[in-house]
Amino acid sequence: MTRLRPGFLWGAATAPHQIEGNNVSSDWWAREGLMPGMERSGDAVDSYHRYPEDMRLLAEAGLNSYRFGIEWARIEPVPGHVSRAELAHYRRMIDTALQLGLTPVVTLNHFTLPRWFAEEGGWLGEQALDRFASYVEAAATILGDVPWVATLNEPNMLAMMITAMRAFRAGQMAGWQSPTVEGEAAPREDAAAEETRRPPVLPPPDPEIGRRLAEAHAVAREIVRQHTDAGVGWTVANGAYHALPGGEQKLEELRYVREDLYLEAARGDDFIGVQSYSSQGVDADGLVPHPPHPDNTLVGTAYRPDALETAVRHTWEVTGGVPVIVTENGIATADDERRIAYTGEALRGLFTAIDDGIDVRGYLHWSALDNYEWGHWEPTFGLIAVDRETFERKPKPSLGWLGDVARRGGLPGA
Ligand code: FCB
């Protein structure tokens, strides 16, 4: 059996906007009414009020960690006004996790922004870095004993979304529905497209935006380091891209703007979050969309549990050995046995990477709960199902399975 580091994190992950409900001061809340084909987050799964139950279910199953986010739009609903009540709310979440034996991994920003910040120009606005810095200063006051803090979630996806929003506003993206895993799933109306036809994909992220986000990360890292003992990092979406015949050169170029720029920016960090779901080939023309296949997940991506090992190895290489936490890995499926099979396979790959000496500190499954997948409710990633009318939680077999893996520190039969 693979030797894991003492204190290895076994947990599940969430993001505030996807589970809390009524994030009314955020840019996403405003956007949900505007974009074609997008469902609303609404009450989400009311985890804003029900987080003690959610955390208890994870702890009782055998997990020892929970990654969740704090919501800037709630903490600072208008510029410069910090809500002490909301800070106290998130502090209670941290305390609840600690009391239950769940190591908190706290994300400072998981895609959503205060609406006023978005209206000032968002991450590209003139005051963006100062604004973010003052939010992080406020947040740091409750993070003193949190061991792991992630500044920005998936800055590379974020850069892709900002790039796409610009194109959408310019009317260049009629077929686009919403950002989804790795941003490469075919828009729904193209799901049946023949393999030879390339459905429209999101444009690659503009590297200028990436560099701005890297500055924001560095600013936040300094503040968190000054005020807390937390290990700080950011979490990067990993596409586990690989070259198809003739695609070697293209792979290098494409991977730099989509991934490596963000991994290089993590070189001075205490950890790097790896987020992996599927993998994709690259040929001389670029990314080859996931071909339609009965095995594809509910977000249209190929079933590739082997992606995690590739992602971890690539991340380790590009960061030059920054300790890894798998901050997201999972599958959108209505079939929980498939979730177990996928996760078992992904963990086998992760263990192989650890056996080879890669320093991995934890595995946090996406997601604790079935939740609002950025515009859609249908793709279910959760270890726990939720009735969206009564908010009743129903743990799936995969939660017990992952809890057992956590308790024994390895896969059954290993
Ligand atoms: C990642 C996001 C997360 C969730 C999963 C499925 O890109 O960080 O919020 O949507 O994909």
Side-chain angles (χ1 to χ4, degrees):
M1 202 154 94
T2 296
R3 281 173 74 93
L4 301 176
R5 293 176 69 98
F8 190 88
L9 304 175
W10 284 107
T14 57
H17 189 75
Q18 294 178 270
I19 58 166
E20 289 182 341
N22 300 300
N23 189 14
V24 297
S25 303
S26 69
D27 62 337
W28 268 84
W29 184 267
R31 188 180 305 164
E32 284 163 20
L34 299 176
M35 302 282 283
M38 229 174 150
E39 291 180 274
R40 281 192 168 280
S41 53
D43 284 328
V45 292
D46 194 30
S47 198
Y48 184 83
H49 299 106
R50 293 164 199 266
Y51 70 85
E53 179 183 356
D54 297 338
M55 292 191 199
R56 188 173 44 74
L57 289 172
L58 301 180
E60 280 174 4
L63 300 178
N64 65 21
S65 180
Y66 180 44
R67 172 184 175 218
F68 58 93
I70 63 176
E71 183 61 59
W72 183 3
R74 290 188 199 273
I75 292 174
E76 195 178 1
V78 290
H81 168 79
V82 171
S83 165
R84 297 194 184 289
E86 294 292 355
L87 281 178
H89 166 82
Y90 289 113
R91 183 59 228 181
R92 281 194 295 278
M93 286 186 74
I94 294 166
D95 288 335
T96 304
L98 292 170
Q99 281 154 16
L100 287 165
L102 296 171
T103 298
V105 178
V106 175
T107 312
L108 298 178
N109 181 261
H110 197 123
F111 296 155
T112 42
L113 299 170
R115 199 166 163 177
W116 59 263
F117 179 84
E119 283 162 3
E120 279 183 0
W123 291 108
L124 305 180
E126 266 176 40
Q127 303 187 73
L129 296 186
D130 290 344
R131 297 291 205 193
F132 186 52
S134 69
Y135 157 63
V136 177
E137 292 270 355
T141 61
I142 60 161
L143 299 174
D145 51 357
V146 170
W148 301 104
V149 171
T151 59
L152 298 179
N153 179 71
E154 292 191 351
N156 50 341
M157 265 296 293
L158 191 58
M160 192 141 43
M161 284 188 235
I162 298 170
T163 311
M165 282 303 288
R166 273 196 200 147
F168 182 81
R169 290 205 183 99
Q172 294 157 359
M173 300 224 12
W176 187 69
Q177 295 235 350
S178 80
T180 179
V181 179
E182 292 146 36
E184 303 306 339
R188 276 147 202 251
E189 64 266 34
D190 283 319
E194 335 83 81
E195 287 190 26
T196 48
R197 217 180 98 219
R198 293 211 168 184
V201 293
L202 293 179
D206 176 347
E208 277 312 309
I209 301 175
R211 283 188 265 275
R212 168 54 75 95
L213 297 175
E215 281 179 73
H217 167 61
V219 165
R221 184 179 64 190
E222 271 332 290
I223 297 170
V224 174
R225 281 185 176 158
Q226 263 169 31
H227 296 285
T228 79
D229 297 327
V232 199
W234 67 357
T235 64
V236 176
N238 195 299
Y241 304 124
H242 52 272
L244 299 171
E248 294 76 9
Q249 169 73 26
K250 196 77 188 167
L251 171 68
E252 294 303 316
E253 292 164 26
L254 179 152
R255 199 162 50 181
Y256 182 76
V257 291
R258 287 171 184 260
E259 223 164 83
D260 294 359
L261 185 158
Y262 302 84
L263 297 175
E264 286 177 6
R267 282 185 183 155
D269 291 0
D270 303 307
F271 78 95
I272 172 79
V274 170
Q275 315 214 141
S276 164
Y277 292 89
S278 184
S279 78
Q280 238 176 318
V282 176
D283 67 14
D285 297 327
L287 265 188
V288 177
H290 301 277
H293 191 280
D295 242 16
N296 283 3
T297 73
L298 289 175
V299 288
T301 50
Y303 179 84
R304 292 297 297 266
D306 58 316
L308 181 60
E309 179 180 352
T310 309
V312 165
R313 288 185 188 278
H314 181 68
T315 300
W316 180 251
E317 196 184 306
V318 178
T319 58
V322 171
V324 166
I325 299 178
V326 177
T327 39
E328 289 185 23
N329 172 247
I331 176 172
T333 177
D335 175 353
D336 198 51
E337 285 194 12
R338 220 165 136 63
R339 186 178 335 279
I340 294 173
Y342 173 94
T343 310
E345 210 42 48
L347 286 173
R348 248 182 286 284
L350 180 67
F351 292 156
T352 308
I354 297 173
D355 291 341
D356 285 348
I358 297 182
D359 179 359
V360 180
R361 306 291 174 97
Y363 173 87
L364 308 175
H365 191 82
W366 185 272
S367 181
L369 303 152
D370 286 343
N371 62 39
Y372 178 69
E373 176 53 27
W374 307 112
H376 300 283
W377 280 100
E378 187 204 344
T380 41
F381 283 89
L383 300 168
I384 301 170
V386 184
D387 179 320
R388 286 188 39 231
E389 281 176 20
T390 63
F391 302 115
E392 189 196 344
R393 272 63 174 148
K394 284 209 182 99
K396 302 179 193 178
S398 52
L399 176 64
W401 177 87
L402 189 62
D404 286 346
V405 172
R407 283 200 176 99
R408 62 200 306 279
L411 291 164

